[in-house]
């Protein structure tokens, strides 16, 4: 059964596109980063509530990603807007150059 699962997984990865492979790897890394928080025990009793730990880990990860996107988006949009303006300007002047 284990060999069949590994074979199916290998075949699926061979067929998957590069983007799907990247997204799968990113999802796996983010899940593993969230699981490392199990080592921290807030109550000190030796047991941890898995759902609350995962929820808080994913919330903090989402807040970090949102903060990064929020700070980088205005700069990226201004660069993209400048590129679009230059492209339209070149098209505009090419019409009159003919």
């Amino acid at each position: 059964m284990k060999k069949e699962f590994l074979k199916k997984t290998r075949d699926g990865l061979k067929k998957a596109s590069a983007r799907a492979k990247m997204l799968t790897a990113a999802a796996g890394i983010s899940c593993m980063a969230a699981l490392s928080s199990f080592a921290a025990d807030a109550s000190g009793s030796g047991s941890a509530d898995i759902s609350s730990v995962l929820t808080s880990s994913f919330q903090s990860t989402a807040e970090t990603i949102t903060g990064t996107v929020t700070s980088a988006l205005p700069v990226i949009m201004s660069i993209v807007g400048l590129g679009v303006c230059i492209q339209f300007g070149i098209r505009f002047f090419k019409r009159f150059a003919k």
Side-chain angles (χ1 to χ4, degrees), residues 10-28:
R10 263 190 242 117
D11 292 340
L13 285 174
K14 287 179 184 176
K15 293 177 184 177
S17 67
R19 179 175 275 175
K21 289 177 186 177
M22 181 187 67
L23 290 175
T24 304

Side-chain angles (χ1 to χ4, degrees), residues 39-96:
D41 185 19
S43 64
S45 64
S47 65
D49 184 20
I50 294 173
S51 63
S52 67
V53 172
L54 279 176
T55 302
S56 65
S57 297
F58 283 126
Q59 284 176 345
S60 66
T61 303
E63 289 171 2
T64 303
I65 291 170
T66 304
T68 304
V69 169
T70 304
S71 64
L73 193 62
V75 176
I76 293 170
M77 290 304 293
S78 63
I79 293 171
V80 170
L82 181 64
V84 169
C85 288
I86 291 172
Q87 196 173 27
F88 279 121
I90 290 172
R91 284 186 196 167
F92 180 74
F93 287 114
K94 280 186 178 181
R95 286 184 186 175
F96 291 113

